Amino acid sequence: MENNDNTTMNEYDRVTYSVISPATVIGRSMSYGKDDIEAPRSSGDIDDGGSSSSPFDIARTKDASVQRLKRWRQAALVLNASRRFRYTLDLKKEEEKEQVLRKIRGHVQVIRAAYLFKESAKKLNSELGIAPHPTSTTGEFQIGLELLSSIARDHNTATLQEKGGVEGIASLLETNLEKGIQGDDTDLSRRTKAFGSNNYPRKKGRSFLMFVWDACKDLTLIILMVAAAASLVLGIKSEGIKEGWYDGGSIAFAVILVIVVTAISDYKQSLQFRDLNEEKRNIRLEVIRGGRRVEISIYDIVVGDVIPLNIGDQVPADGILIVGHSLAVDESSMTGESNIVTAVGINTEWGLLMANISEDNGEETPLQVRLNGLATFIGIIGLSVAVIVLVVLLASEDFVMHVSEMAVHKHRYFSGHSRNPDGSVQFTAGKTKLSTAIDGAIKIVTVAVTIVVVAVPEGLPLAVTLTLAYSMRKMMADKALVRRLSACETMGSATTICSDKTGTLTMNQMTVVEAIIGGENIDPPHEKSKLKPILCSLLIEGVAQNTNGSVFVPEGSNNVEVSGSPTEKAILHWAVQLGMNFKAARAESSIIHVFPFNSDKKRGGVAVQTTESEIHIHWKGAAEIVLGCCTQYMDVNDHLIEMDEGKMNYFRRAIEDMASRSLRCVAIAYRLYEMEKVPTSEDLAHWSLPEDNLILLAIVGLKDPCRPGVKDAVKLCQKAGVKVKMVTGDNVKTATAIAVECGILNSYSEATEPYVIIEGKDFRAMQDAERLEIVEKISVMGRSSPNDKLLLVQALRRKEHVVAVTGDGTNDAPALHEADIGLAMGIQGTEVAKESSDIIILDDNFASVVKVVRWGRSVYANIQKFIQFQLTVNIAALVINVIAAFSSGDVPLNTVQLLWVNLIMDTLGALALATEPPTDHLMDRDPMGRREGRLPYSKIPSTEVDNIFFAFQRTSYIKYYVEESADTVDVILFLLSTYIRVMVGTFQAIYQVSVLLILNFRGISILNLAHKSSDHALKVKDTLIFNAFVLCQVFNEFNARKPDEFNIFKGVTRNYLFMGIVALTVVLQIIIIEFLEKFVKTVKLTWQQWLICVIIGFISWPLAVVGKLIPVPEKQLSNSFRKCTNRVRRCFCRPEKL
């Protein structure tokens, strides 16, 4: 039941249907395929990475092809594919799902064919006099579930007629077609008991053990487990079980710890995604119970409910149509065609099959893809180094370096020159036991494999998923429901927000504050004493019939309950004040035909037949548009007056005056129509209501105040470099007044500048080149249609903007789909709009949109923090072990220690740094935009962490840059710039490597250990190196929190998860050093040695301050240098200028 849009309302008036089966519709999300005839044209000239030679350069995964998605996965260096690609789109499952859906469509056709055969059999039985089988009943109801299901599933109109049609079914279900069911707890309980609930069986989620199994699939961990088993066997054989199990057991325990911690982290992420998916499925809709409209969850629908449907709504259960006008239901995802049919669900073929289809909510995000590229780049380097270390340690010849303090010659293992700490030869050909040789070789292999474990940043792409899961959960509290993962990070790059006015920038609480009725200004607007009976009755008739809202008056109460859109509610409430009895007014005339409100025409109409058999056609819509169709108006004395030029100008000035005071202007008009000209019932559906020669009845001004705090939210966007544009269907003057009030325009004088304010029709009439020229100047677009919004989005994207668009109507779906981030309104938005969006703003508030921007930037910031932290550990651990292996034939960090470091770096580090909440500081930066980090001439970041993050990305484009650039100087400067930025970005790693290498080669003398035994001295030195290395990472975690701020402790005490992980790391490190010496191959340290380790780690804090003081140019180094070279070239090319 995730999307429920395989049956979607395309047109609307008062469409009402009765639920006859508790079968929730299960369907695919509404989307526009590339080959769909009606699909909106995408911006074809917008390069989203499709032409790039790098498989990891996918800037927009929203429309990425399957081939492109396969390409980056095949290019990635992956140690555990099942874990790495868990939260990406399962391409195989997608293909299987398409095959299942094709089968479903075939089954539907078979069902319909079977229905035809069944009908033929009934006719034959009737001719032969064979009585039909009696129908079953269900408990207290006189009709059974099977019969109800067959009516909808088989389109069994014959059975429907046998039961008395809609009225008969309603009677059997004890439903009042006007008031619905009773709706009390007893009634709901017995209906649920008799017919079931509106749900379908979901597949169970993945258990914790499945995540453990996935974590076990890591190739390096498998190798380490095999090595641990072999080491365990050989150790027990040679040293006995009491001492011999430590080597293999410690490695096995470390691997198991890594597996369990990884599985716990992944399992928690899966639970977060599961909760968010449940929230996405929980659609809210209106039903009629006890005569009033109430909003309920889709899961709470019961058989017998009466549900009013609006345009763009999803049919939430099997049902039969009660009444409707201009109705079309899109059932294409089920049958491949559009028919006026009811929905399908769990009691049908579709529901049963969909219940067995596992839902795949995975998708890749641009950041995930890029970080997979970065992980591959680093991993290849680490893998190459590990292979070299393995070969050197196992097979190189006499490579002697006098580097240790004790002048012990350390040679390679199988060359016969590798020695133990006591000076004895480790391997002597023909003399050393085979088991001893194998044990030594296994230790070397485990070290090399562990280097791969540390060097390949497997957790780097997964950190994106972690921070996205955290952000999505927190964004729910900020009234934003994320439907697409990629939208979280893309929103952080947004450069432009195209926002609706009503309900987003304003409160969506409209009231009629001004009214011109009968050509006069009525003050107050509901003063009915000035109105004559005919004018008043026509107004009430037009308001009551030409609406999709309703008015409910509880028995024994005067409190009127009005439902509908904010505009409808305001006008209905005004009409009630004028004396309208909604129920009586609707009973006095019957609706013949409806023209639903149209966003292009900005008006809606209805044709009604009165009790006197007169035909009245009522129109309501944008004041100036309806006024333009009027040739007369009715004055307060019920006289029809010709609309001369003077009176027309009077009404126009009145509209402009209302609009300048930020009022929404709505005109109400009608005309008489000849009965004989009304089309017959067959042609009625295609009748275009006459809209000429109208008689103006009233013009009303509706006030919708700006939301509190919206001006501050707009200013915050502008401060952050995000341009806010208002796109509204309202009058341009109304839009201008609201724009000034909201802060989108600084003053009315700004509105006089060319193209700052524009009407939708003017923008639509321009050529593509003209639109591109002015699109960045536009701040307000008034009287716009959904197609105008789509054109605006396409033009902005062609200008390299990252565009976020808000929308609430069905016709907004193309613009929401085309935008980089589609933001649907959760309260006023239709289901079609929501399904086409990436994020749903639950409270329809622009301030919530700004919060989404902050969270989007937080995603990038948190990943950058984690990258800085992880690359520091990567580089330091790799360099230390490699240099030590080459120089001394041994490594200071053994397998268990490296696995512990890997655990700190990958899982714990990601938890600590990828879950930092956003801060206001994030809004002090300009947005990164579409090309950030993708092309050489993109804007250069100015912080240390940005240097790391983007410098490594830039290396992926060296080949591209060299091929594309014709300037050798540019190429050299680009490579030099990249190298410098990597060096600046790895400032902490350089410090750690330098200090730890000094300790490795001169540690015994520095620590005054020369008087100790050589074995103990080496163990103390290696333990201190390991301890100092881990504490450096603990201190550096604080640096990574605030990579571009000097106060690294700001807000740290409020981040309980970060503090908890740091405390846990320190406690476990103390336990490892002081109590697990046999497992980890360490010795206890004195308090002086602990102090040395702490001081080494502490120095990283002032060093971080120094690193942040290093100036980084905002522009490319080649920009200024190019000017000099160009002058020199001109001089050499034109010697006469010398």
Side-chain angles (χ1 to χ4, degrees), residues 980-996:
I980 291 172
R981 291 177 186 281
V982 172
M983 294 305 295
V984 171
T986 55
F987 201 70
Q988 291 289 335
I990 295 172
Y991 161 70
Q992 291 181 20
V993 169
S994 302
V995 172
L996 298 182

Side-chain angles (χ1 to χ4, degrees), residues 497-786:
I497 299 175
C498 298
S499 175
D500 289 336
K501 177 186 75 69
T502 305
T504 307
L505 296 171
T506 61
M507 294 183 66
N508 218 9
Q509 296 175 359
M510 294 191 179
T511 53
V512 175
V513 297
E514 192 165 337
I516 297 177
I517 307 175
E520 295 183 10
N521 195 330
I522 305 299
D523 187 22
H526 56 268
E527 181 58 56
K528 61 181 179 181
S529 61
K530 298 181 180 179
L531 307 182
K532 295 295 183 179
I534 296 178
L535 176 58
C536 190
S537 64
L538 285 172
L539 263 178
I540 289 174
E541 180 184 83
V543 172
Q545 296 288 22
N546 192 16
T547 181
N548 63 0
S550 67
V551 178
F552 175 74
V553 182
E555 294 183 8
S557 173
N558 294 324
N559 295 326
V560 178
E561 297 179 12
V562 182
S563 62
S565 69
T567 303
E568 296 286 1
K569 288 169 66 176
I571 294 176
L572 284 171
H573 196 272
W574 169 69
V576 168
Q577 291 177 315
L578 287 176
M580 179 184 70
N581 184 318
F582 184 74
K583 186 176 181 180
R586 290 176 69 88
E588 289 175 359
S589 58
S590 58
I591 295 175
I592 299 175
H593 186 60
V594 172
F595 179 85
F597 180 84
N598 187 289
S599 299
D600 292 320
K601 291 193 173 184
K602 304 294 182 189
R603 58 186 179 272
V606 62
V608 300
Q609 183 175 353
T610 66
T611 53
E612 291 82 13
S613 297
E614 289 184 343
I615 303 298
H616 291 175
I617 297 176
H618 292 275
W619 285 96
K620 180 178 66 182
E624 69 272 21
I625 295 176
V626 173
L627 178 63
C629 300
C630 295
T631 56
Q632 296 176 301
Y633 72 94
M634 182 174 288
D635 67 9
V636 292
N637 297 315
D638 293 342
H639 298 147
L640 294 180
I641 310 296
E642 290 296 322
M643 186 76 72
D644 57 19
E645 188 68 24
K647 204 63 181 178
M648 181 68 77
N649 289 333
Y650 165 77
F651 287 123
R652 285 172 180 165
R653 285 194 300 270
I655 293 171
E656 290 179 359
D657 178 62
M658 291 183 192
S660 65
R661 289 181 280 120
S662 69
L663 302 184
R664 170 176 283 187
C665 303
V666 177
I668 301 172
Y670 99 111
R671 63 163 292 175
L672 292 171
Y673 199 69
E674 297 82 357
M675 173 69 80
E676 58 272 13
K677 291 185 179 180
V678 176
T680 60
S681 57
E682 292 80 9
D683 301 325
L684 193 60
H686 306 287
W687 183 31
S688 296
L689 291 181
E691 52 189 29
D692 58 340
N693 298 322
L694 300 184
I695 301 169
L696 182 67
L697 300 177
I699 298 174
V700 295
L702 293 83
K703 179 66 175 178
D704 186 14
C706 284
R707 287 184 178 272
V710 72
K711 190 167 187 178
D712 293 335
V714 170
K715 284 185 177 180
L716 186 60
C717 278
Q718 293 169 343
K719 174 186 174 185
V722 181
K723 174 75 172 179
V724 180
K725 300 179 185 290
M726 179 195 294
V727 184
T728 178
D730 271 349
N731 184 293
V732 170
K733 289 187 177 293
T734 303
T736 302
I738 292 291
V740 172
E741 193 175 343
C742 293
I744 294 175
L745 297 177
N746 294 323
S747 63
Y748 284 97
S749 60
E750 187 179 346
T752 61
E753 297 179 13
Y755 302 115
V756 171
I757 312 291
I758 193 170
E759 279 202 32
K761 63 180 181 180
D762 297 332
F763 187 74
R764 191 186 321 139
M766 293 180 176
Q767 299 297 322
D768 287 346
E770 293 177 297
R771 293 195 199 106
L772 290 177
E773 187 177 344
I774 69 157
V775 68
E776 291 178 322
K777 301 176 183 177
I778 296 173
S779 292
V780 177
M781 181 181 288
R783 285 289 178 238
S784 67
S785 68

Side-chain angles (χ1 to χ4, degrees), residues 31-42 48 50 58 60-69 817-818:
S31 61
Y32 297 91
K34 292 185 177 180
D35 300 323
D36 290 349
I37 295 174
E38 296 182 359
R41 292 182 60 84
S42 182
D48 286 323
I58 305 179
R60 180 178 161 98
T61 58
K62 198 170 182 177
D63 300 311
S65 65
V66 174
Q67 291 76 14
R68 191 142 177 77
L69 298 180
H817 180 267
E818 176 71 14

Side-chain angles (χ1 to χ4, degrees), residues 71-120:
R71 187 180 166 207
W72 79 260
R73 298 181 197 187
Q74 292 168 353
L77 175 64
V78 180
L79 300 179
N80 187 349
S82 63
R83 181 170 183 252
R84 177 80 73 87
F85 300 137
R86 179 182 300 131
Y87 296 109
T88 59
L89 188 65
D90 192 325
L91 302 179
K92 185 177 180 181
K93 283 186 179 179
E94 282 296 299
E95 293 175 357
E96 292 175 354
K97 188 181 291 186
E98 287 297 324
Q99 293 175 1
V100 171
L101 290 172
R102 283 195 293 269
K103 290 180 181 178
I104 292 172
R105 295 187 181 111
H107 291 169
V108 170
Q109 301 303 331
V110 171
I111 290 171
R112 289 182 175 175
Y115 164 69
L116 295 176
F117 280 113
K118 189 186 292 185
E119 288 296 306
S120 301

Side-chain angles (χ1 to χ4, degrees), residues 821-837:
I821 314 103
L823 303 165
M825 298 297 105
I827 299 174
Q828 292 300 318
T830 65
E831 290 304 319
V832 171
K834 293 175 184 177
E835 295 299 328
S836 299
S837 68

Side-chain angles (χ1 to χ4, degrees), residues 79-334:
L79 300 179
N80 187 349
S82 63
R83 181 170 183 252
R84 177 80 73 87
F85 300 137
R86 179 182 300 131
Y87 296 109
T88 59
L89 188 65
D90 192 325
L91 302 179
K92 185 177 180 181
K93 283 186 179 179
E94 282 296 299
E95 293 175 357
E96 292 175 354
K97 188 181 291 186
E98 287 297 324
Q99 293 175 1
V100 171
L101 290 172
R102 283 195 293 269
K103 290 180 181 178
I104 292 172
R105 295 187 181 111
H107 291 169
V108 170
Q109 301 303 331
V110 171
I111 290 171
R112 289 182 175 175
Y115 164 69
L116 295 176
F117 280 113
K118 189 186 292 185
E119 288 296 306
S120 301
K122 283 184 179 180
K123 289 181 181 179
L124 181 61
N125 290 338
S126 178
E127 293 173 359
L128 297 175
I130 302 174
H133 295 290
T135 58
S136 61
T137 62
T138 301
E140 302 178 33
F141 297 93
Q142 300 177 29
I143 189 169
L145 175 61
E146 183 179 347
L147 182 59
L148 283 173
S149 298
S150 68
I151 291 174
R153 181 178 63 242
D154 301 335
H155 302 168
N156 196 339
T157 55
T159 303
L160 178 63
Q161 295 305 318
E162 287 178 10
K163 295 298 178 182
V166 176
E167 291 80 4
I169 295 293
S171 177
L172 294 174
L173 291 175
E174 302 176 14
T175 297
N176 185 303
L177 295 181
E178 292 291 332
K179 297 183 178 181
I181 63 175
Q182 294 179 7
D184 55 26
D185 292 341
T186 303
D187 186 34
L188 296 176
S189 177
R190 68 192 186 100
R191 290 176 186 276
T192 302
K193 183 178 179 180
F195 300 106
S197 62
N198 193 37
N199 217 320
Y200 73 98
R202 293 175 179 78
K203 284 198 169 184
K204 291 183 178 180
R206 292 163 59 89
S207 66
F208 175 71
L209 292 179
M210 295 179 73
F211 286 95
V212 173
W213 175 245
D214 279 350
C216 291
K217 293 179 182 178
D218 192 306
L219 179 61
T220 52
L221 295 183
I222 293 172
I223 295 173
L224 288 176
M225 287 298 288
V226 172
S231 179
L232 189 65
V233 171
L234 293 173
I236 293 174
K237 183 179 178 181
S238 60
E239 301 180 33
I241 191 170
K242 187 175 182 180
E243 297 290 335
W245 69 277
Y246 282 116
D247 284 351
S250 59
I251 295 174
F253 176 78
V255 171
I256 292 171
L257 180 63
V258 170
I259 289 172
V260 171
V261 173
T262 300
I264 292 173
S265 175
D266 292 347
Y267 180 62
K268 284 191 172 182
Q269 286 184 46
S270 73
L271 293 180
Q272 290 179 358
F273 282 121
R274 190 185 306 174
D275 293 341
L276 289 167
N277 287 331
E278 281 298 320
E279 190 66 32
K280 286 191 286 188
R281 297 188 191 104
N282 187 15
I283 297 172
R284 309 288 297 180
L285 74 162
E286 281 188 343
V287 299
I288 300 175
R289 291 178 178 175
R292 70 175 66 184
R293 294 191 182 189
V294 294
E295 188 179 80
I296 63 170
S297 165
I298 193 171
Y299 300 126
D300 296 331
I301 295 174
V302 295
V303 170
D305 263 326
V306 175
I307 303 176
L309 294 174
N310 295 324
I311 181 172
D313 277 358
Q314 295 169 347
V315 181
D318 288 1
I320 53 178
L321 184 67
I322 298 173
V323 63
H325 299 278
S326 304
L327 170 67
V329 180
D330 179 11
E331 203 181 21
S332 58
S333 61
M334 184 183 71

